[in-house]
């Protein structure tokens, strides 16, 4: 078969949400696919710091920060942080309306000091909400916002109780940022990300494919939540995990078992990658 370029979301796809340890079956599938000549990339909203524990598994490249930072092997092929003006306006408009904010640099993450308390009372959520709750509870490198030192920021993660809190920021910033908000209103919490319209997971996939000489029909993307939509739209074959968003399942070419039920291994077999 033609060699494929494979992109894997992390939380809820490669690993159980909020963890850095893939099932052994997933690790085995990745290694076997690479031995068969396929390339395997991470494609994640996580920044480089938060995805770094997974690099021990030997990926061929990364699409990090939702497409804002892309590498092929050791080569950085795209690097696009927010401007100072964009960050100032976003933080001001969100903060004035009680939106809880987490900002991600390449190598550090900073969160509002009372975000942990908010999450503890917000009810259960999707894989992104679970990851942030665990990250805060286990102190996984999320520093207090007061320690932010003006380093470049790639995206803002937001959490709030209702859409009205986001409207002032959307009114001013939607031409520059995609407000990628998860479908969690019924669970008592809205969460999502402000993604610069200069990039997305989809543009990251295209950049990697172009650099490595892959036709887009030979790309495969695996995801579980609506922040994977831009990736799912551009790849030749799209796969959603069974534990994923109902909307994403409808838009994907294939649904595989959940991450905890050896879903990646199952899909790699069905797609002829191993």
């Amino acid at each position: 078969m033609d060699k494929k370029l494979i992109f894997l979301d992390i939380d809820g796809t490669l690993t159980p949400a909020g963890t850095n340890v893939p099932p052994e079956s997933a690790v085995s599938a990745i290694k076997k696919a690479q031995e068969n000549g396929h390339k395997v990339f991470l494609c994640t909203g996580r920044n480089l710091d938060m995805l770094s524990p997974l690099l021990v598994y030997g990926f061929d490249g990364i699409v990090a920060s939702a497409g804002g930072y892309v590498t092929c092997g050791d080569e950085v092929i795209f690097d696009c942080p927010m401007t100072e003006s964009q960050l100032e306006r976003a933080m001001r408009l969100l903060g004035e309306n009680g939106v809880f904010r987490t900002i991600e640099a390449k190598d550090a993450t900073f969160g509002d000091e009372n975000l942990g308390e908010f999450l503890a009372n917000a009810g259960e959520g999707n894989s992104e909400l679970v990851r942030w709750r665990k990250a805060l509870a286990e102190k996984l490198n999320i520093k207090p916002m007061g320690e932010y030192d003006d380093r470049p920021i790639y995206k803002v993660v937001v959490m709030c109780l209702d859409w009205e809190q986001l409207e002032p920021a959307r009114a001013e910033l939607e031409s520059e940022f995609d407000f990628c908000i998860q479908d969690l209103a019924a669970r008592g919490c809205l969460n999502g990300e402000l993604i610069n319209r200069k990039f997305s997971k989809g543009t990251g996939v295209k950049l990697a494919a172009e650099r490595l000489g892959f036709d887009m029909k030979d790309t495969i993307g695996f995801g579980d939540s609506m922040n994977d939509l831009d990736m799912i739209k551009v790849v030749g074959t799209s796969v959603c995990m069974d534990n994923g968003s109902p909307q994403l399942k409808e838009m994907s070419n294939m649904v595989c078992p959940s991450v905890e039920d050896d879903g990646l291994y199952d899909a790699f077999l069905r797609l002829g990658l191993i």
Side-chain angles (χ1 to χ4, degrees):
M1 67 177 298
D2 292 334
K3 302 309 179 188
K4 303 295 184 182
L5 180 55
I6 304 160
F7 295 88
L8 305 177
D9 173 54
I10 296 176
D11 293 283
T13 301
L14 174 62
T15 71
T19 77
N20 290 318
V21 182
E24 284 297 324
S25 62
V27 175
S28 175
I30 291 165
K31 290 182 178 178
K32 289 180 179 179
Q34 289 172 321
E35 289 170 0
N36 288 338
H38 307 296
K39 301 289 186 182
V40 185
F41 275 55
L42 292 175
C43 188
T44 178
R46 290 194 191 191
N47 62 4
L48 185 62
D49 179 59
M50 295 185 76
L51 68 79
S52 59
L54 291 155
L55 297 181
V56 297
Y57 299 106
F59 293 95
D60 298 294
I62 59 173
V63 177
S65 295
Y69 186 80
V70 183
T71 71
C72 286
D74 295 328
E75 180 188 7
V76 178
I77 64 171
F78 187 74
D79 188 356
C80 183
M82 298 167 66
T83 67
E84 291 182 7
S85 172
Q86 286 176 325
L87 180 62
E88 185 280 324
R89 285 180 289 141
M91 295 298 283
R92 172 173 49 81
L93 291 163
L94 294 168
E96 288 174 351
N97 290 278
V99 177
F100 293 83
R101 310 155 303 176
T102 304
I103 56 175
E104 296 184 5
K106 181 174 66 176
D107 51 1
T109 303
F110 303 87
D112 281 328
E113 282 84 343
N114 53 351
L115 182 56
E117 179 182 348
F118 172 77
L119 288 179
N121 295 301
E124 294 304 312
N126 68 354
S127 62
E128 293 297 301
L129 183 56
V130 171
R131 173 167 71 88
W132 283 105
R133 177 181 288 157
K134 287 186 176 182
L136 284 162
E138 299 168 13
K139 303 186 186 304
L140 293 182
N141 298 325
I142 298 183
K143 306 175 189 294
M145 192 69 76
E147 295 182 13
Y148 173 56
D149 54 5
D150 297 325
R151 69 185 72 191
I153 296 297
Y154 291 77
K155 67 183 177 113
V156 182
V157 177
V158 297
M159 294 183 187
C160 60
L161 298 178
D162 60 65
W163 281 98
E164 290 184 2
Q165 293 172 272
L166 294 171
E167 285 307 321
R170 289 183 67 176
E172 183 168 329
L173 298 171
E174 196 162 28
S175 63
E176 300 169 64
F177 292 91
D178 179 16
F179 281 63
C180 182
I181 308 300
Q182 303 294 335
D183 46 352
L184 285 178
R187 300 175 185 263
C189 177
L190 292 171
N191 83 294
E193 302 166 328
L194 274 63
I195 307 296
N196 197 318
R197 291 192 183 276
K198 291 181 179 179
F199 58 77
S200 67
K201 285 187 176 183
T203 63
V205 166
K206 290 180 178 179
L207 285 169
E210 180 180 3
R211 180 56 57 97
L212 294 176
F214 279 84
D215 192 295
M216 289 302 296
K217 70 179 178 58
D218 292 321
T219 60
I220 304 173
F222 289 78
D224 72 297
S225 66
M226 290 303 288
N227 62 7
D228 297 313
L229 181 59
D230 287 321
M231 171 183 67
I232 291 299
K233 284 181 175 179
V234 303
V235 292
T237 302
S238 54
V239 186
C240 184
M241 312 302 289
D242 191 53
N243 51 275
S245 162
Q247 288 179 264
L248 198 70
K249 289 179 184 179
E250 292 180 4
M251 299 175 182
S252 300
N253 301 127
M254 177 190 299
V255 176
C256 70
S258 70
V259 58
E260 291 90 351
D261 293 327
D262 303 322
L264 287 186
Y265 194 93
D266 177 90
F268 275 40
L269 275 176
R270 288 163 61 189
L271 291 168
L273 301 170
I274 58 177

